[in-house]
């Protein structure tokens, strides 16, 4: 199951993040794919903000990981762009987070090897004219249920 959406403005990207938060299952892993500047961190920031994260939401480009308390549980945001091998993640203690994190947002997941959990939802962003094209693909039953709920909240420009 997949869904493609055109996001003509940054506000539309933020709205997608809000809809993802509104429709999110109890736990979820999201892999964020796309070139540099495609909007992965912007979408993650909008999703986290809609889940109630207050204060600064930093891109984990240099820290590799940022953790945010949620009303229930926590969110983990990883950006693996700067790593050369999955073994570099050993010192982050990701295995300890597997049972704690309610939401995983993983940018550049292919660089994490088996160190990051598999996705429920894969979101690929690419620039398209002045906006972005987002492709959302469910990778598990949890992801399929999420996309089905999300489609009920979809606004203009959404398509399946």
């Amino acid at each position: 199951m997949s869904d493609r959406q055109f996001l003509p403005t940054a506000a539309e990207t933020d709205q997608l993040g809000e809809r993802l938060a509104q429709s999110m299952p109890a736990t979820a892993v999201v892999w964020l794919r796309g070139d540099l500047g495609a909007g992965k961190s912007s979408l993650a920031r909008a999703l986290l903000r809609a889940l109630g994260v207050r204060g600064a939401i930093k891109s984990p480009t240099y820290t590799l990981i940022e953790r945010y308390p949620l009303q229930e549980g926590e969110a983990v945001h990883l950006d693996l762009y700067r790593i050369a091998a999955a073994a570099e993640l050993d010192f982050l203690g990701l295995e300890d987070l597997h049972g704690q994190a309610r939401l995983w947002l993983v940018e550049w997941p292919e660089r994490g090897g088996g160190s990051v959990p598999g996705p429920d939802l894969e979101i690929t962003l690419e620039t398209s004219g002045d906006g972005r094209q987002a492709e959302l693909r469910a990778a598990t039953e949890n992801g399929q249920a999420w996309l089905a709920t999300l489609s009920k909240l979809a606004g203009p420009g959404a398509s399946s």
Side-chain angles (χ1 to χ4, degrees):
M1 176 178 220
S2 67
D3 179 33
R4 285 186 67 81
Q5 299 182 25
F6 179 64
L7 308 170
T9 66
E12 291 284 334
T13 300
D14 290 349
Q15 289 172 5
L16 174 58
E18 291 166 10
R19 289 191 310 272
L20 285 165
Q22 292 169 1
S23 59
M24 192 179 106
T27 61
V29 177
V30 179
W31 283 8
L32 297 163
R33 298 182 181 276
D35 292 334
L36 288 172
K40 299 178 298 295
S41 291
S42 295
L43 180 60
R45 191 173 296 111
L47 172 55
L48 290 166
R49 186 71 64 213
L51 288 172
V53 174
R54 298 293 168 244
I57 298 177
K58 301 176 279 185
S59 172
T61 300
Y62 294 101
T63 58
L64 299 182
I65 186 170
E66 293 290 339
R67 296 169 66 177
Y68 300 97
L70 301 175
Q71 189 170 10
E72 295 178 21
E74 77 174 316
V76 175
H77 185 188
L78 296 166
D79 185 334
L80 307 181
Y81 178 74
R82 299 179 62 81
I83 68 164
E88 293 179 42
L89 297 175
D90 291 346
F91 72 94
L92 292 179
L94 296 181
E95 62 279 346
D96 297 335
L97 296 175
H98 284 280
Q100 297 175 16
R102 176 176 175 220
L103 173 64
W104 288 75
L105 298 167
V106 185
E107 297 184 41
W108 304 95
E110 62 279 0
R111 296 180 183 209
S115 296
V116 296
D120 292 302
L121 193 61
E122 289 185 70
I123 302 175
T124 302
L125 295 166
E126 53 189 41
T127 56
S128 178
D130 289 338
R132 297 180 173 113
Q133 192 70 244
E135 181 178 5
L136 295 80
R137 190 181 68 77
T140 65
E141 287 184 22
N142 195 33
Q144 290 175 2
W146 192 358
L147 274 186
T149 304
L150 179 69
S151 70
K152 295 174 187 173
L153 300 173
S159 62
S160 293

